[in-house]
Amino acid sequence: MSPPTARIPVLLGARIPVLLRESAFRRYWSAQVVSLIGDQISLIAIPLVAVIVLGADAAEMGLLKTAELLPALLLSLPAGAWIDRRSRRRRIMIAADLLRALLIVSLPVAYVVGVLTLAQLYAVAFAVGACAVVFDICNATLFVSLVPKSRFVAGNSLLNGSRAMAFVSGPGAGGLLVQVLAVPLALLADALTFLYSAALLARIAPVEPPPAPSAKGYLTEGVRWALRHPTVRVMCAASGTVQFFNLMFHTLFVFYATTELGLQPAFLGAVLGSGAIGGLIGAATAGRVVRGMGIGPAILLGYAGFTVPLLLVPLAGGATPLVVALLFLAEFLSSVGVMLVDISSGSLLAALIPDALRSRVAGASRTLNYGFRPLGAMAGGALGTVLGLRPTLWIATAGATLCLLWLLPSPVPRIRTLPGAATGQESQPEPGLAPSASLPERAGEGT
């Protein structure tokens, strides 16, 4: 009989997720984690550079935010078409990481020599956003090159869990760096995360699908395929509905919480922090939910859990403890729902979209999502001015629940397993889907 100490490594290994025991996925996942933390650092540091160092006003801050969002809106579709014609997407991701590091480093360098301007900040924000578009669209292919279809849910759970972890640790790390260093110098830490991500990606060599052949209608083929597919079409419609109304909500939430509800920054920070904790719990439990009820019902539950709790926000009122409790509950439950949506819908879309269209569908999806975001933000600002904050938040939160009307009559609630995934039993076609034998062996990611 082996001594207890000899069994410790075996027991520890049993607790480590199977995918993280594989060196290639572990390096890929680690690259995602460190890059996400870097993004959270820059989320604090870059606006602070504009405000504290360059004295930007509200209009100039709006231009900075626009520069960050425009690449996803303008470049996702052509980037998807270009990437589908490439055979080495991993190398493109490495190049995007290196370029982002160089762009970020240019800001503290310009600050040190005394030539930093708002124009440079706008240009860097746009260029970094463009690199992020290319990186994220390539990432859809790299994920399915590393993860077998039967483990899509587990892989997406790990990636979304790391995102929630970055939301917890990133802002704190960014705030500490800004406090200790001069504001622009804190961006050096962000640049280092991109360099580390590139180094990790350089150490894996997955077999990527071949490039797609060029044909008539190549640029718009991804959009047309998504609109024709009964499941993908309604999932994109549900996502677009949530994006529009959720941006209406987020445009006004902080203003509403601090002015009408009178919350102090410490209470508001605690409310937002509850969302990060909810995200971690959602990522940790999503796999069990999917296994228990099926992938389609899990998507429906996720969208309901994401949108319905936010109705508590315009409902909030009264004493401060009651207001904080309602906002805390809304943010926490909604964040659990977000993770369930992201993991389950991302896994299903990854199992449906053909390799040859993967990047183009991902680009079309990003164009749709980011196209609705500025429209929702503008609608929120306009209605908030005309109707007031609380009535507009009622419209935004109630409107977001309309996403369920797309999903309920669709094939989604009847889908139990990922089409084509190995289950140990003969695969049966899902309602509303083509038989699994006609689906491509590998597929890709959507929204």
Side-chain angles (χ1 to χ4, degrees), residues 110-141:
Y111 168 75
V112 169
V113 299
V115 295
L116 182 62
T117 63
L118 276 171
Q120 181 183 353
L121 209 60
Y122 297 152
V124 167
F126 183 89
V128 167
C131 290
V133 168
V134 172
F135 185 96
D136 291 343
I137 292 176
C138 287
N139 194 37
T141 297

PDB file of all heavy atoms in Angstrom, residues 110-141:
ATOM      1  N   ALA A 110       5.971  58.706 -24.773  1.00  0.00           N
ATOM      2  CA  ALA A 110       5.621  60.075 -25.158  1.00  0.00           C
ATOM      3  C   ALA A 110       5.443  60.952 -23.930  1.00  0.00           C
ATOM      4  O   ALA A 110       5.801  62.144 -23.941  1.00  0.00           O
ATOM      5  CB  ALA A 110       4.341  60.071 -25.997  1.00  0.00           C
ATOM      6  N   TYR A 111       4.894  60.398 -22.856  1.00  0.00           N
ATOM      7  CA  TYR A 111       4.727  61.152 -21.611  1.00  0.00           C
ATOM      8  C   TYR A 111       6.074  61.565 -21.027  1.00  0.00           C
ATOM      9  O   TYR A 111       6.262  62.724 -20.616  1.00  0.00           O
ATOM     10  CB  TYR A 111       3.943  60.298 -20.618  1.00  0.00           C
ATOM     11  CG  TYR A 111       3.930  60.828 -19.207  1.00  0.00           C
ATOM     12  CD1 TYR A 111       3.146  61.929 -18.857  1.00  0.00           C
ATOM     13  CD2 TYR A 111       4.700  60.227 -18.218  1.00  0.00           C
ATOM     14  CE1 TYR A 111       3.131  62.409 -17.558  1.00  0.00           C
ATOM     15  CE2 TYR A 111       4.692  60.704 -16.910  1.00  0.00           C
ATOM     16  CZ  TYR A 111       3.907  61.790 -16.595  1.00  0.00           C
ATOM     17  OH  TYR A 111       3.898  62.268 -15.298  1.00  0.00           O
ATOM     18  N   VAL A 112       7.025  60.635 -21.012  1.00  0.00           N
ATOM     19  CA  VAL A 112       8.342  60.910 -20.420  1.00  0.00           C
ATOM     20  C   VAL A 112       9.071  62.007 -21.186  1.00  0.00           C
ATOM     21  O   VAL A 112       9.716  62.870 -20.588  1.00  0.00           O
ATOM     22  CB  VAL A 112       9.181  59.614 -20.362  1.00  0.00           C
ATOM     23  CG1 VAL A 112      10.642  59.922 -20.004  1.00  0.00           C
ATOM     24  CG2 VAL A 112       8.593  58.649 -19.338  1.00  0.00           C
ATOM     25  N   VAL A 113       8.948  61.986 -22.512  1.00  0.00           N
ATOM     26  CA  VAL A 113       9.661  63.002 -23.309  1.00  0.00           C
ATOM     27  C   VAL A 113       8.828  64.268 -23.499  1.00  0.00           C
ATOM     28  O   VAL A 113       9.264  65.216 -24.154  1.00  0.00           O
ATOM     29  CB  VAL A 113      10.087  62.434 -24.681  1.00  0.00           C
ATOM     30  CG1 VAL A 113      11.028  61.269 -24.501  1.00  0.00           C
ATOM     31  CG2 VAL A 113       8.881  62.036 -25.516  1.00  0.00           C
ATOM     32  N   GLY A 114       7.596  64.289 -22.948  1.00  0.00           N
ATOM     33  CA  GLY A 114       6.795  65.506 -22.959  1.00  0.00           C
ATOM     34  C   GLY A 114       6.049  65.802 -24.234  1.00  0.00           C
ATOM     35  O   GLY A 114       5.751  66.966 -24.506  1.00  0.00           O
ATOM     36  N   VAL A 115       5.697  64.781 -25.030  1.00  0.00           N
ATOM     37  CA  VAL A 115       5.001  65.033 -26.295  1.00  0.00           C
ATOM     38  C   VAL A 115       3.648  64.313 -26.364  1.00  0.00           C
ATOM     39  O   VAL A 115       3.049  64.218 -27.434  1.00  0.00           O
ATOM     40  CB  VAL A 115       5.880  64.613 -27.494  1.00  0.00           C
ATOM     41  CG1 VAL A 115       7.128  65.476 -27.570  1.00  0.00           C
ATOM     42  CG2 VAL A 115       6.246  63.130 -27.431  1.00  0.00           C
ATOM     43  N   LEU A 116       3.157  63.800 -25.247  1.00  0.00           N
ATOM     44  CA  LEU A 116       1.889  63.066 -25.253  1.00  0.00           C
ATOM     45  C   LEU A 116       0.730  64.023 -25.524  1.00  0.00           C
ATOM     46  O   LEU A 116       0.630  65.083 -24.917  1.00  0.00           O
ATOM     47  CB  LEU A 116       1.682  62.369 -23.898  1.00  0.00           C
ATOM     48  CG  LEU A 116       0.420  61.523 -23.748  1.00  0.00           C
ATOM     49  CD1 LEU A 116       0.425  60.362 -24.737  1.00  0.00           C
ATOM     50  CD2 LEU A 116       0.288  60.999 -22.321  1.00  0.00           C
ATOM     51  N   THR A 117      -0.155  63.629 -26.442  1.00  0.00           N
ATOM     52  CA  THR A 117      -1.309  64.450 -26.801  1.00  0.00           C
ATOM     53  C   THR A 117      -2.568  63.587 -26.846  1.00  0.00           C
ATOM     54  O   THR A 117      -2.503  62.359 -26.909  1.00  0.00           O
ATOM     55  CB  THR A 117      -1.129  65.096 -28.182  1.00  0.00           C
ATOM     56  OG1 THR A 117      -1.055  64.058 -29.177  1.00  0.00           O
ATOM     57  CG2 THR A 117       0.133  65.945 -28.248  1.00  0.00           C
ATOM     58  N   LEU A 118      -3.725  64.268 -26.843  1.00  0.00           N
ATOM     59  CA  LEU A 118      -4.988  63.550 -26.985  1.00  0.00           C
ATOM     60  C   LEU A 118      -5.087  62.870 -28.349  1.00  0.00           C
ATOM     61  O   LEU A 118      -5.658  61.780 -28.471  1.00  0.00           O
ATOM     62  CB  LEU A 118      -6.165  64.519 -26.802  1.00  0.00           C
ATOM     63  CG  LEU A 118      -6.592  64.806 -25.362  1.00  0.00           C
ATOM     64  CD1 LEU A 118      -7.607  65.945 -25.333  1.00  0.00           C
ATOM     65  CD2 LEU A 118      -7.189  63.560 -24.713  1.00  0.00           C
ATOM     66  N   ALA A 119      -4.540  63.485 -29.386  1.00  0.00           N
ATOM     67  CA  ALA A 119      -4.574  62.875 -30.714  1.00  0.00           C
ATOM     68  C   ALA A 119      -3.867  61.518 -30.706  1.00  0.00           C
ATOM     69  O   ALA A 119      -4.349  60.547 -31.308  1.00  0.00           O
ATOM     70  CB  ALA A 119      -3.919  63.811 -31.734  1.00  0.00           C
ATOM     71  N   GLN A 120      -2.723  61.445 -30.021  1.00  0.00           N
ATOM     72  CA  GLN A 120      -2.029  60.157 -29.919  1.00  0.00           C
ATOM     73  C   GLN A 120      -2.869  59.156 -29.135  1.00  0.00           C
ATOM     74  O   GLN A 120      -2.943  57.975 -29.500  1.00  0.00           O
ATOM     75  CB  GLN A 120      -0.671  60.329 -29.234  1.00  0.00           C
ATOM     76  CG  GLN A 120       0.106  59.008 -29.132  1.00  0.00           C
ATOM     77  CD  GLN A 120       1.412  59.156 -28.387  1.00  0.00           C
ATOM     78  OE1 GLN A 120       1.828  60.248 -28.036  1.00  0.00           O
ATOM     79  NE2 GLN A 120       2.068  58.038 -28.130  1.00  0.00           N
ATOM     80  N   LEU A 121      -3.523  59.613 -28.071  1.00  0.00           N
ATOM     81  CA  LEU A 121      -4.358  58.724 -27.269  1.00  0.00           C
ATOM     82  C   LEU A 121      -5.507  58.167 -28.106  1.00  0.00           C
ATOM     83  O   LEU A 121      -5.813  56.966 -28.038  1.00  0.00           O
ATOM     84  CB  LEU A 121      -4.904  59.494 -26.062  1.00  0.00           C
ATOM     85  CG  LEU A 121      -5.194  58.690 -24.798  1.00  0.00           C
ATOM     86  CD1 LEU A 121      -3.933  58.009 -24.289  1.00  0.00           C
ATOM     87  CD2 LEU A 121      -5.775  59.595 -23.723  1.00  0.00           C
ATOM     88  N   TYR A 122      -6.146  59.018 -28.920  1.00  0.00           N
ATOM     89  CA  TYR A 122      -7.217  58.547 -29.800  1.00  0.00           C
ATOM     90  C   TYR A 122      -6.683  57.514 -30.797  1.00  0.00           C
ATOM     91  O   TYR A 122      -7.317  56.476 -31.047  1.00  0.00           O
ATOM     92  CB  TYR A 122      -7.836  59.717 -30.584  1.00  0.00           C
ATOM     93  CG  TYR A 122      -8.511  60.768 -29.750  1.00  0.00           C
ATOM     94  CD1 TYR A 122      -8.580  62.082 -30.193  1.00  0.00           C
ATOM     95  CD2 TYR A 122      -9.090  60.461 -28.516  1.00  0.00           C
ATOM     96  CE1 TYR A 122      -9.208  63.072 -29.444  1.00  0.00           C
ATOM     97  CE2 TYR A 122      -9.713  61.442 -27.753  1.00  0.00           C
ATOM     98  CZ  TYR A 122      -9.762  62.742 -28.223  1.00  0.00           C
ATOM     99  OH  TYR A 122     -10.380  63.716 -27.471  1.00  0.00           O
ATOM    100  N   ALA A 123      -5.531  57.831 -31.393  1.00  0.00           N
ATOM    101  CA  ALA A 123      -4.960  56.930 -32.398  1.00  0.00           C
ATOM    102  C   ALA A 123      -4.600  55.574 -31.790  1.00  0.00           C
ATOM    103  O   ALA A 123      -4.855  54.520 -32.387  1.00  0.00           O
ATOM    104  CB  ALA A 123      -3.726  57.578 -33.040  1.00  0.00           C
ATOM    105  N   VAL A 124      -4.008  55.604 -30.594  1.00  0.00           N
ATOM    106  CA  VAL A 124      -3.632  54.346 -29.937  1.00  0.00           C
ATOM    107  C   VAL A 124      -4.883  53.554 -29.564  1.00  0.00           C
ATOM    108  O   VAL A 124      -4.935  52.328 -29.752  1.00  0.00           O
ATOM    109  CB  VAL A 124      -2.769  54.636 -28.690  1.00  0.00           C
ATOM    110  CG1 VAL A 124      -2.632  53.384 -27.823  1.00  0.00           C
ATOM    111  CG2 VAL A 124      -1.396  55.128 -29.121  1.00  0.00           C
ATOM    112  N   ALA A 125      -5.911  54.232 -29.058  1.00  0.00           N
ATOM    113  CA  ALA A 125      -7.151  53.541 -28.691  1.00  0.00           C
ATOM    114  C   ALA A 125      -7.765  52.856 -29.905  1.00  0.00           C
ATOM    115  O   ALA A 125      -8.219  51.711 -29.832  1.00  0.00           O
ATOM    116  CB  ALA A 125      -8.144  54.532 -28.080  1.00  0.00           C
ATOM    117  N   PHE A 126      -7.776  53.540 -31.048  1.00  0.00           N
ATOM    118  CA  PHE A 126      -8.346  52.951 -32.265  1.00  0.00           C
ATOM    119  C   PHE A 126      -7.495  51.775 -32.748  1.00  0.00           C
ATOM    120  O   PHE A 126      -8.025  50.712 -33.095  1.00  0.00           O
ATOM    121  CB  PHE A 126      -8.445  54.015 -33.365  1.00  0.00           C
ATOM    122  CG  PHE A 126      -9.096  53.504 -34.629  1.00  0.00           C
ATOM    123  CD1 PHE A 126     -10.469  53.589 -34.775  1.00  0.00           C
ATOM    124  CD2 PHE A 126      -8.344  52.947 -35.650  1.00  0.00           C
ATOM    125  CE1 PHE A 126     -11.088  53.118 -35.932  1.00  0.00           C
ATOM    126  CE2 PHE A 126      -8.952  52.469 -36.803  1.00  0.00           C
ATOM    127  CZ  PHE A 126     -10.324  52.559 -36.948  1.00  0.00           C
ATOM    128  N   ALA A 127      -6.179  51.951 -32.764  1.00  0.00           N
ATOM    129  CA  ALA A 127      -5.298  50.897 -33.274  1.00  0.00           C
ATOM    130  C   ALA A 127      -5.314  49.669 -32.361  1.00  0.00           C
ATOM    131  O   ALA A 127      -5.311  48.528 -32.841  1.00  0.00           O
ATOM    132  CB  ALA A 127      -3.876  51.435 -33.414  1.00  0.00           C
ATOM    133  N   VAL A 128      -5.333  49.882 -31.050  1.00  0.00           N
ATOM    134  CA  VAL A 128      -5.420  48.756 -30.116  1.00  0.00           C
ATOM    135  C   VAL A 128      -6.751  48.030 -30.302  1.00  0.00           C
ATOM    136  O   VAL A 128      -6.811  46.794 -30.276  1.00  0.00           O
ATOM    137  CB  VAL A 128      -5.249  49.239 -28.663  1.00  0.00           C
ATOM    138  CG1 VAL A 128      -5.638  48.152 -27.666  1.00  0.00           C
ATOM    139  CG2 VAL A 128      -3.805  49.659 -28.421  1.00  0.00           C
ATOM    140  N   GLY A 129      -7.816  48.797 -30.518  1.00  0.00           N
ATOM    141  CA  GLY A 129      -9.113  48.178 -30.787  1.00  0.00           C
ATOM    142  C   GLY A 129      -9.106  47.359 -32.070  1.00  0.00           C
ATOM    143  O   GLY A 129      -9.708  46.285 -32.131  1.00  0.00           O
ATOM    144  N   ALA A 130      -8.414  47.852 -33.093  1.00  0.00           N
ATOM    145  CA  ALA A 130      -8.310  47.106 -34.350  1.00  0.00           C
ATOM    146  C   ALA A 130      -7.551  45.795 -34.151  1.00  0.00           C
ATOM    147  O   ALA A 130      -7.937  44.742 -34.681  1.00  0.00           O
ATOM    148  CB  ALA A 130      -7.623  47.967 -35.402  1.00  0.00           C
ATOM    149  N   CYS A 131      -6.473  45.845 -33.375  1.00  0.00           N
ATOM    150  CA  CYS A 131      -5.723  44.615 -33.071  1.00  0.00           C
ATOM    151  C   CYS A 131      -6.585  43.634 -32.285  1.00  0.00           C
ATOM    152  O   CYS A 131      -6.505  42.415 -32.496  1.00  0.00           O
ATOM    153  CB  CYS A 131      -4.468  44.952 -32.271  1.00  0.00           C
ATOM    154  SG  CYS A 131      -3.196  45.826 -33.209  1.00  0.00           S
ATOM    155  N   ALA A 132      -7.404  44.154 -31.382  1.00  0.00           N
ATOM    156  CA  ALA A 132      -8.282  43.293 -30.595  1.00  0.00           C
ATOM    157  C   ALA A 132      -9.307  42.593 -31.482  1.00  0.00           C
ATOM    158  O   ALA A 132      -9.630  41.417 -31.270  1.00  0.00           O
ATOM    159  CB  ALA A 132      -8.985  44.103 -29.512  1.00  0.00           C
ATOM    160  N   VAL A 133      -9.824  43.287 -32.497  1.00  0.00           N
ATOM    161  CA  VAL A 133     -10.762  42.673 -33.442  1.00  0.00           C
ATOM    162  C   VAL A 133     -10.111  41.488 -34.135  1.00  0.00           C
ATOM    163  O   VAL A 133     -10.668  40.382 -34.201  1.00  0.00           O
ATOM    164  CB  VAL A 133     -11.240  43.714 -34.474  1.00  0.00           C
ATOM    165  CG1 VAL A 133     -11.972  43.039 -35.622  1.00  0.00           C
ATOM    166  CG2 VAL A 133     -12.143  44.749 -33.815  1.00  0.00           C
ATOM    167  N   VAL A 134      -8.915  41.701 -34.666  1.00  0.00           N
ATOM    168  CA  VAL A 134      -8.203  40.632 -35.372  1.00  0.00           C
ATOM    169  C   VAL A 134      -7.899  39.467 -34.432  1.00  0.00           C
ATOM    170  O   VAL A 134      -8.115  38.296 -34.768  1.00  0.00           O
ATOM    171  CB  VAL A 134      -6.901  41.190 -35.992  1.00  0.00           C
ATOM    172  CG1 VAL A 134      -6.055  40.068 -36.567  1.00  0.00           C
ATOM    173  CG2 VAL A 134      -7.239  42.211 -37.084  1.00  0.00           C
ATOM    174  N   PHE A 135      -7.420  39.784 -33.240  1.00  0.00           N
ATOM    175  CA  PHE A 135      -7.068  38.744 -32.260  1.00  0.00           C
ATOM    176  C   PHE A 135      -8.291  37.908 -31.895  1.00  0.00           C
ATOM    177  O   PHE A 135      -8.238  36.674 -31.893  1.00  0.00           O
ATOM    178  CB  PHE A 135      -6.486  39.417 -31.017  1.00  0.00           C
ATOM    179  CG  PHE A 135      -5.981  38.449 -29.971  1.00  0.00           C
ATOM    180  CD1 PHE A 135      -4.638  38.111 -29.916  1.00  0.00           C
ATOM    181  CD2 PHE A 135      -6.847  37.897 -29.032  1.00  0.00           C
ATOM    182  CE1 PHE A 135      -4.167  37.227 -28.949  1.00  0.00           C
ATOM    183  CE2 PHE A 135      -6.390  37.016 -28.068  1.00  0.00           C
ATOM    184  CZ  PHE A 135      -5.048  36.677 -28.026  1.00  0.00           C
ATOM    185  N   ASP A 136      -9.403  38.573 -31.587  1.00  0.00           N
ATOM    186  CA  ASP A 136     -10.591  37.851 -31.123  1.00  0.00           C
ATOM    187  C   ASP A 136     -11.201  36.981 -32.208  1.00  0.00           C
ATOM    188  O   ASP A 136     -11.693  35.882 -31.933  1.00  0.00           O
ATOM    189  CB  ASP A 136     -11.632  38.848 -30.604  1.00  0.00           C
ATOM    190  CG  ASP A 136     -11.197  39.530 -29.316  1.00  0.00           C
ATOM    191  OD1 ASP A 136     -10.263  39.023 -28.663  1.00  0.00           O
ATOM    192  OD2 ASP A 136     -11.779  40.573 -28.966  1.00  0.00           O
ATOM    193  N   ILE A 137     -11.188  37.458 -33.456  1.00  0.00           N
ATOM    194  CA  ILE A 137     -11.759  36.654 -34.535  1.00  0.00           C
ATOM    195  C   ILE A 137     -10.877  35.433 -34.808  1.00  0.00           C
ATOM    196  O   ILE A 137     -11.378  34.327 -35.028  1.00  0.00           O
ATOM    197  CB  ILE A 137     -11.952  37.516 -35.799  1.00  0.00           C
ATOM    198  CG1 ILE A 137     -13.045  38.561 -35.540  1.00  0.00           C
ATOM    199  CG2 ILE A 137     -12.321  36.659 -37.001  1.00  0.00           C
ATOM    200  CD1 ILE A 137     -13.260  39.534 -36.676  1.00  0.00           C
ATOM    201  N   CYS A 138      -9.566  35.606 -34.781  1.00  0.00           N
ATOM    202  CA  CYS A 138      -8.664  34.448 -34.912  1.00  0.00           C
ATOM    203  C   CYS A 138      -8.864  33.469 -33.761  1.00  0.00           C
ATOM    204  O   CYS A 138      -8.735  32.248 -33.941  1.00  0.00           O
ATOM    205  CB  CYS A 138      -7.214  34.915 -34.927  1.00  0.00           C
ATOM    206  SG  CYS A 138      -6.680  35.745 -36.431  1.00  0.00           S
ATOM    207  N   ASN A 139      -9.170  33.992 -32.596  1.00  0.00           N
ATOM    208  CA  ASN A 139      -9.315  33.163 -31.410  1.00  0.00           C
ATOM    209  C   ASN A 139     -10.435  32.147 -31.552  1.00  0.00           C
ATOM    210  O   ASN A 139     -10.380  31.056 -30.970  1.00  0.00           O
ATOM    211  CB  ASN A 139      -9.570  34.058 -30.190  1.00  0.00           C
ATOM    212  CG  ASN A 139      -9.408  33.328 -28.887  1.00  0.00           C
ATOM    213  OD1 ASN A 139      -8.538  32.472 -28.744  1.00  0.00           O
ATOM    214  ND2 ASN A 139     -10.250  33.647 -27.928  1.00  0.00           N
ATOM    215  N   ALA A 140     -11.474  32.469 -32.327  1.00  0.00           N
ATOM    216  CA  ALA A 140     -12.564  31.520 -32.543  1.00  0.00           C
ATOM    217  C   ALA A 140     -12.050  30.238 -33.190  1.00  0.00           C
ATOM    218  O   ALA A 140     -12.483  29.138 -32.850  1.00  0.00           O
ATOM    219  CB  ALA A 140     -13.644  32.163 -33.417  1.00  0.00           C
ATOM    220  N   THR A 141     -11.121  30.375 -34.132  1.00  0.00           N
ATOM    221  CA  THR A 141     -10.547  29.201 -34.792  1.00  0.00           C
ATOM    222  C   THR A 141      -9.563  28.489 -33.884  1.00  0.00           C
ATOM    223  O   THR A 141      -9.531  27.252 -33.830  1.00  0.00           O
ATOM    224  CB  THR A 141      -9.847  29.619 -36.095  1.00  0.00           C
ATOM    225  OG1 THR A 141     -10.819  30.169 -36.989  1.00  0.00           O
ATOM    226  CG2 THR A 141      -9.171  28.431 -36.757  1.00  0.00           C
TER     227      THR A 141
END
